[in-house]
């Protein structure tokens, strides 16, 4: 590249303009990353607030029917899901509760992997579980098993959450809040009696 006399009489290229453009580009990238972090932080704060409200409903329930009502009626708007239900292996005593859908053992086994958590689009067995629970098969779902480390047999019970959209639940989403929520459901079920008529 040759310089004409009008470009610069001394033969030195003025890079201030290029440096300014580069700095502006770097600033836009920093602002973009800050926005992503802020959006993620706000989404996490909102998720924590929603789970906290769900926790309060479980705490306020005086019996298992109220736990079931909290899950099926109040969890969907609080957690921003299309539907929420508990399902249990038909051999588990909890499956006889009126708010729990009993499922055959082979379907319960196919709901999650060894981690006890599934997030994403449904397979055939998972679709059958949602249909059995009276929920239209959603485009995505969260299925979380209740923990195994409680004195009551709760590991063959799972919480079904139906997403509104395909990206409502994806494998990349975190699971900490969901596992905390099902731990509290398991404790509430163990602590509250079933009201007998």
């Amino acid at each position: 590249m040759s310089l004409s006399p009008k470009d610069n009489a001394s033969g030195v290229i003025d890079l201030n303009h290029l440096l300014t453009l580069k700095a502006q580009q770097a600033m836009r990238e920093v602002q973009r990353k800050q926005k992503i972090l802020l959006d993620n932080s706000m989404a996490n704060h909102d998720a924590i607030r929603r789970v906290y409200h769900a926790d309060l409903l479980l705490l306020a329930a005086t019996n298992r029917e109220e736990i079931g009502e909290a899950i099926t009626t109040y969890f969907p708007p609080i957690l921003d899901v299309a539907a929420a239900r508990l399902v249990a292996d038909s051999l588990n005593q909890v499956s006889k509760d009126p708010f729990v859908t009993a499922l055959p053992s082979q379907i319960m086994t196919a709901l999650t992997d060894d981690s006890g958590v599934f997030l994403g689009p449904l397979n055939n067995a998972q679709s059958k579980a949602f249909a059995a629970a009276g929920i239209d098969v959603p485009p995505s779902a969260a299925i979380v098993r209740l923990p195994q480390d409680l004195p009551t047999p709760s590991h063959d019970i799972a919480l079904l959450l139906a997403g509104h959209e395909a990206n409502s639940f994806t494998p990349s989403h975190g699971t900490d809040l969901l596992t905390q929520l099902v731990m509290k459901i398991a404790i509430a079920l163990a602590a509250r009696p079933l009201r007998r008529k």
Side-chain angles (χ1 to χ4, degrees):
M1 171 173 102
S2 63
L3 290 174
S4 65
K6 65 181 180 182
D7 288 335
N8 193 324
S10 67
V12 178
I13 300 173
D14 184 2
L15 296 177
N16 284 336
H17 179 67
L18 290 175
L19 290 173
T20 301
L21 288 176
K22 198 97 162 134
Q24 288 172 343
Q25 182 182 12
M27 183 59 79
R28 281 192 296 274
E29 181 63 18
V30 166
Q31 288 172 338
R32 185 187 71 79
K33 288 180 179 177
Q34 284 178 334
K35 184 178 181 331
I36 290 170
L37 288 173
L38 182 61
D39 289 347
N40 286 341
S41 176
M42 294 303 291
N44 286 340
H45 180 269
D46 185 55
I48 290 168
R49 181 184 54 81
R50 289 173 182 274
V51 171
Y52 177 71
H53 286 159
D55 291 347
L56 292 178
L57 283 173
L58 293 172
L59 184 63
T62 59
N63 55 58
R64 287 179 26 194
E65 287 85 350
E66 289 180 3
I67 294 169
E69 182 181 10
I71 292 169
T72 58
T73 305
Y74 299 111
F75 274 25
I78 289 172
L79 300 175
D80 191 26
V81 295
R85 299 282 190 285
L86 282 181
V87 293
D89 188 304
S90 56
L91 301 176
N92 187 312
Q93 187 65 29
V94 173
S95 70
K96 295 171 181 40
D97 289 0
F99 58 88
V100 177
T101 300
L103 295 175
S105 298
Q106 63 272 23
I107 290 182
M108 283 299 298
T109 302
L111 291 182
T112 65
D113 60 17
D114 291 340
S115 73
V117 179
F118 169 83
L119 302 171
L122 304 178
N123 65 28
N124 190 38
Q126 294 161 337
S127 296
K128 287 179 182 177
F130 274 83
I135 301 171
D136 291 338
V137 176
S140 68
I143 303 171
V144 190
R145 287 187 182 277
L146 275 62
Q148 299 183 38
D149 54 357
L150 292 178
T152 57
S154 60
H155 63 279
D156 50 359
I157 305 169
L159 175 67
L160 307 181
L161 298 174
H164 291 292
E165 300 170 2
N167 64 351
S168 295
F169 296 104
T170 67
S172 65
H173 285 143
T175 61
D176 289 348
L177 291 176
L178 290 173
T179 54
Q180 289 174 23
L181 180 61
V182 296
M183 171 66 81
K184 290 167 187 168
I185 291 171
I187 292 168
L189 287 174
R192 306 290 191 270
L194 183 63
R195 184 173 56 207
R196 301 292 181 193
K197 295 182 181 179

